[in-house]
Amino acid sequence: MQIHVEDIHALTEFQRNAKAHLARVNRTGRPEVLTVNGKAEAVLLGRRSYEQVLEALEELGTLKAIRRGISEMEGGQTLDAATAHQRLREL
């Protein structure tokens, strides 16, 4: 995702016109970068964009877990079902 120059604003400008900034990020779906003394300090996302980020992170976590499982399986770090059930019963 690219940040457009028009989506970079000073924090003080955001504080003066918060409702307008919120309306813009929700309307466009693009994040705004908020700066302090010319340096990026925060990113403002609309609700839908934030939900998309959360969904993407959840999917990434799932993919990492699947890859880890495949790697463990390929490395012989697995148990047969009977052994796994027995260990669970012992807990």
Side-chain angles (χ1 to χ4, degrees):
M1 176 180 287
Q2 289 185 343
I3 301 294
H4 298 99
V5 173
E6 63 269 14
D7 295 330
I8 300 172
H9 302 277
L11 180 60
T12 54
E13 158 62 19
F14 170 78
Q15 290 170 322
R16 284 192 295 265
N17 299 300
K19 286 184 181 181
H21 287 269
L22 290 172
R24 184 171 33 255
V25 296
N26 283 315
R27 184 182 72 250
T28 67
R30 295 190 326 243
E32 284 192 3
V33 175
L34 303 178
T35 63
V36 175
N37 297 322
K39 294 183 181 180
E41 290 293 330
V43 177
L44 177 66
L45 296 175
R47 182 189 50 79
R48 285 185 308 266
S49 295
Y50 179 70
E51 288 171 353
Q52 290 173 340
V53 168
L54 290 179
E55 287 174 15
L57 286 173
E58 185 177 335
E59 288 177 17
L60 179 61
T62 300
L63 289 173
K64 288 176 80 173
I66 291 169
R67 285 185 183 147
R68 185 174 55 248
I70 290 171
S71 176
E72 289 173 1
M73 187 178 71
E74 289 172 344
Q77 300 169 315
T78 59
L79 300 173
D80 60 73
T83 302
H85 284 130
Q86 181 60 38
R87 287 191 183 177
L88 288 172
R89 283 188 208 102
E90 293 171 359
L91 292 177

